[in-house]
Amino acid sequence: MPPTPADPVIDVRELRKIYGRSTALDGLDLTLMPGEVHGFLGPNGAGKSTTLRILLGLAKPTSGRALVFGRDPWSAPASTRTSIAYVPGDVALWPNLTGGEIVDLLLALSGGSERGERDRLVSVFELDTRKKARTYSKGNRQKVALVAAFARRVPLYVLDEPTSGLDPVMEAVFRSEVSRVKSEGSAVLLSSHLLSEVEHLCDRVTIIRDGRVVESSALADIMSIAASLTAPGEVLPTLETLFLRHYTTGE
């Protein structure tokens, strides 16, 4: 059942994941509300991919709570995944199928979509659906996943480096589709290394390092505080400069 406006889409508390002697997540908290675009940031190895795997029901937490639509995705993967559209950062496709066949297969496996919406997205993303997937560039492989994801109307979109390989024109199309699903009331969890993309799209930002949250606030609040600390005559900071200054250095 889709969440009501008062219920979190994602509710993570004190989440821990340990692999042998390595701690991937160390008490992570994360909340995502309906209609919110939430940036999920951190350097490589911070624990972003582990978090997403747990939210998708692909990994079991060591301890803590991770709820999606009020349910544990590890215990109830089918009931949670049907309400999630997921785009990975490195899309692998069936090499001997055409792009159109793969889009249709992915949609059929996830419950289908309106044909008109599927065709609209193929057009705006300029995807040649007649070519075999083995001929696709990385950007075209991403387009297949994006078309299949955005063609579905679901309450949650989990996007992990979704614009990897896309050119600036297609990045603009992507931003437009994120804005569309947000306007329809869906929530978006966006993990991206393109901080300008996050700054453009996101309402809130959570930044993690070493499996722990180092910042989680409304993006407008983060930028306002940073601006208030900027000396007269200095260039106002961007999210990218803040990230590099404060979070990758451990300051």
Side-chain angles (χ1 to χ4, degrees):
M1 179 182 297
T4 68
D7 297 329
V9 176
I10 292 173
D11 186 14
V12 172
R13 291 289 179 270
E14 288 294 317
L15 188 64
R16 288 181 169 79
K17 180 62 178 176
I18 299 173
Y19 296 99
R21 296 183 178 180
S22 176
T23 300
L25 297 175
D26 189 14
L28 184 78
D29 294 334
L30 177 68
T31 303
L32 176 63
M33 301 300 294
E36 178 182 73
V37 182
H38 197 120
F40 191 45
L41 309 178
N44 291 334
K48 301 187 302 298
S49 294
T50 299
T51 304
L52 297 185
R53 286 177 58 81
I54 290 173
L55 294 174
L56 293 168
L58 301 175
K60 184 178 182 180
T62 302
S63 64
R65 181 180 75 189
L67 300 180
V68 181
F69 312 117
R71 298 185 291 266
D72 179 354
W74 179 258
S75 303
S79 61
T80 53
R81 283 298 299 273
T82 55
S83 298
I84 301 173
Y86 170 58
V87 177
D90 189 8
V91 176
L93 303 175
W94 295 274
N96 292 322
L97 296 181
T98 67
E101 290 170 336
I102 294 171
V103 168
D104 292 339
L105 176 58
L106 292 173
L107 289 174
L109 290 172
S110 60
S113 72
E114 296 179 6
R115 184 75 189 187
E117 187 64 2
R118 179 261 195 206
D119 292 345
R120 181 189 70 81
L121 287 159
V122 165
S123 176
V124 297
F125 277 107
E126 299 179 2
L127 175 65
D128 188 340
T129 57
R130 300 165 297 176
K131 289 185 176 181
K132 299 277 188 171
R134 64 172 175 265
T135 70
Y136 278 163
S137 64
K138 177 173 176 54
N140 279 321
R141 293 196 301 272
Q142 289 299 126
K143 289 181 184 181
V144 170
L146 288 166
V147 168
F150 284 127
R152 299 177 59 208
R153 292 195 173 186
V154 292
L156 174 59
Y157 295 81
V158 176
L159 310 176
D160 186 8
E161 302 293 340
T163 58
S164 177
L166 296 187
D167 62 40
V169 173
M170 291 299 105
E171 288 177 4
V173 173
F174 165 79
R175 291 195 294 269
S176 176
E177 293 305 315
V178 170
S179 297
R180 175 182 64 83
V181 299
K182 175 187 175 181
S183 71
E184 294 171 352
S186 297
V188 179
L189 183 61
L190 173 62
S191 176
S192 176
H193 283 114
L194 296 177
L195 299 185
S196 59
E197 181 175 84
V198 172
E199 189 171 353
H200 183 88
L201 287 171
C202 293
D203 305 299
R204 294 181 59 82
V205 173
T206 292
I207 303 173
I208 68 172
R209 185 177 63 244
D210 298 329
R212 296 185 296 273
V213 173
V214 295
E215 181 71 45
S216 187
S217 302
L219 180 59
D221 291 343
I222 294 175
M223 302 309 295
S224 177
I225 292 171
S228 70
L229 298 175
T230 302
E234 289 186 355
V235 176
L236 289 174
T238 64
L239 181 61
E240 182 173 5
T241 57
L242 289 173
F243 181 85
L244 293 173
R245 184 187 306 167
H246 297 291
Y247 304 121
T248 62
T249 62
E251 294 179 1

PDB file of all heavy atoms in Angstrom, residues 2 15 37 43 47 76 107 135 155 229 246:
ATOM      1  N   PRO A   2       0.633   2.218  -0.920  1.00  0.00           N
ATOM      2  CA  PRO A   2       1.435   3.435  -0.940  1.00  0.00           C
ATOM      3  C   PRO A   2       1.318   4.184   0.376  1.00  0.00           C
ATOM      4  O   PRO A   2       0.289   4.129   1.052  1.00  0.00           O
ATOM      5  CB  PRO A   2       0.820   4.237  -2.100  1.00  0.00           C
ATOM      6  CG  PRO A   2       0.112   3.235  -2.936  1.00  0.00           C
ATOM      7  CD  PRO A   2      -0.357   2.174  -1.986  1.00  0.00           C
ATOM      8  N   LEU A  15      21.084   1.783  11.573  1.00  0.00           N
ATOM      9  CA  LEU A  15      21.354   0.659  10.667  1.00  0.00           C
ATOM     10  C   LEU A  15      22.840   0.314  10.665  1.00  0.00           C
ATOM     11  O   LEU A  15      23.698   1.179  10.462  1.00  0.00           O
ATOM     12  CB  LEU A  15      20.898   1.022   9.255  1.00  0.00           C
ATOM     13  CG  LEU A  15      20.919  -0.106   8.222  1.00  0.00           C
ATOM     14  CD1 LEU A  15      19.939  -1.214   8.603  1.00  0.00           C
ATOM     15  CD2 LEU A  15      20.581   0.444   6.832  1.00  0.00           C
ATOM     16  N   VAL A  37      12.521  14.684  -3.024  1.00  0.00           N
ATOM     17  CA  VAL A  37      13.717  14.224  -3.733  1.00  0.00           C
ATOM     18  C   VAL A  37      14.884  14.387  -2.777  1.00  0.00           C
ATOM     19  O   VAL A  37      15.198  15.505  -2.352  1.00  0.00           O
ATOM     20  CB  VAL A  37      13.956  15.014  -5.027  1.00  0.00           C
ATOM     21  CG1 VAL A  37      15.192  14.469  -5.753  1.00  0.00           C
ATOM     22  CG2 VAL A  37      12.735  14.940  -5.945  1.00  0.00           C
ATOM     23  N   PRO A  43      31.641   9.876  -0.288  1.00  0.00           N
ATOM     24  CA  PRO A  43      32.740   9.391  -1.118  1.00  0.00           C
ATOM     25  C   PRO A  43      32.634   7.888  -1.343  1.00  0.00           C
ATOM     26  O   PRO A  43      31.838   7.201  -0.686  1.00  0.00           O
ATOM     27  CB  PRO A  43      33.990   9.747  -0.292  1.00  0.00           C
ATOM     28  CG  PRO A  43      33.492   9.826   1.117  1.00  0.00           C
ATOM     29  CD  PRO A  43      32.090  10.329   1.040  1.00  0.00           C
ATOM     30  N   GLY A  47      29.365   3.720   2.108  1.00  0.00           N
ATOM     31  CA  GLY A  47      28.261   2.868   2.528  1.00  0.00           C
ATOM     32  C   GLY A  47      26.980   3.098   1.753  1.00  0.00           C
ATOM     33  O   GLY A  47      25.937   2.525   2.085  1.00  0.00           O
ATOM     34  N   ALA A  76      10.096  -9.092   3.342  1.00  0.00           N
ATOM     35  CA  ALA A  76       8.983  -9.008   2.385  1.00  0.00           C
ATOM     36  C   ALA A  76       9.463  -8.349   1.093  1.00  0.00           C
ATOM     37  O   ALA A  76       8.993  -7.270   0.712  1.00  0.00           O
ATOM     38  CB  ALA A  76       7.833  -8.216   2.997  1.00  0.00           C
ATOM     39  N   LEU A 107       9.313  -4.012 -18.072  1.00  0.00           N
ATOM     40  CA  LEU A 107       8.001  -3.523 -17.668  1.00  0.00           C
ATOM     41  C   LEU A 107       7.037  -4.667 -17.393  1.00  0.00           C
ATOM     42  O   LEU A 107       6.250  -4.623 -16.445  1.00  0.00           O
ATOM     43  CB  LEU A 107       7.437  -2.597 -18.744  1.00  0.00           C
ATOM     44  CG  LEU A 107       8.130  -1.237 -18.855  1.00  0.00           C
ATOM     45  CD1 LEU A 107       7.598  -0.458 -20.043  1.00  0.00           C
ATOM     46  CD2 LEU A 107       7.952  -0.436 -17.575  1.00  0.00           C
ATOM     47  N   THR A 135      25.255  -3.542 -28.935  1.00  0.00           N
ATOM     48  CA  THR A 135      25.817  -2.410 -29.668  1.00  0.00           C
ATOM     49  C   THR A 135      25.721  -1.107 -28.898  1.00  0.00           C
ATOM     50  O   THR A 135      26.237  -0.089 -29.341  1.00  0.00           O
ATOM     51  CB  THR A 135      25.099  -2.231 -31.024  1.00  0.00           C
ATOM     52  OG1 THR A 135      23.749  -1.767 -30.790  1.00  0.00           O
ATOM     53  CG2 THR A 135      25.052  -3.545 -31.792  1.00  0.00           C
ATOM     54  N   PRO A 155       5.418   4.741  -6.025  1.00  0.00           N
ATOM     55  CA  PRO A 155       5.641   5.755  -4.986  1.00  0.00           C
ATOM     56  C   PRO A 155       7.107   6.015  -4.656  1.00  0.00           C
ATOM     57  O   PRO A 155       7.412   6.969  -3.939  1.00  0.00           O
ATOM     58  CB  PRO A 155       4.905   5.194  -3.773  1.00  0.00           C
ATOM     59  CG  PRO A 155       4.819   3.734  -4.005  1.00  0.00           C
ATOM     60  CD  PRO A 155       4.754   3.537  -5.487  1.00  0.00           C
ATOM     61  N   LEU A 229      28.359  32.091   6.416  1.00  0.00           N
ATOM     62  CA  LEU A 229      29.738  31.972   6.883  1.00  0.00           C
ATOM     63  C   LEU A 229      30.750  32.451   5.842  1.00  0.00           C
ATOM     64  O   LEU A 229      31.960  32.399   6.079  1.00  0.00           O
ATOM     65  CB  LEU A 229      30.043  30.516   7.248  1.00  0.00           C
ATOM     66  CG  LEU A 229      29.198  29.924   8.384  1.00  0.00           C
ATOM     67  CD1 LEU A 229      29.519  28.439   8.563  1.00  0.00           C
ATOM     68  CD2 LEU A 229      29.422  30.678   9.681  1.00  0.00           C
ATOM     69  N   HIS A 246      34.297  20.082   3.572  1.00  0.00           N
ATOM     70  CA  HIS A 246      33.950  19.622   4.914  1.00  0.00           C
ATOM     71  C   HIS A 246      33.838  18.120   5.082  1.00  0.00           C
ATOM     72  O   HIS A 246      34.039  17.618   6.186  1.00  0.00           O
ATOM     73  CB  HIS A 246      32.625  20.253   5.340  1.00  0.00           C
ATOM     74  CG  HIS A 246      32.680  21.738   5.447  1.00  0.00           C
ATOM     75  ND1 HIS A 246      33.403  22.388   6.426  1.00  0.00           N
ATOM     76  CD2 HIS A 246      32.111  22.708   4.691  1.00  0.00           C
ATOM     77  CE1 HIS A 246      33.277  23.688   6.272  1.00  0.00           C
ATOM     78  NE2 HIS A 246      32.498  23.908   5.235  1.00  0.00           N
TER      79      HIS A 246
END
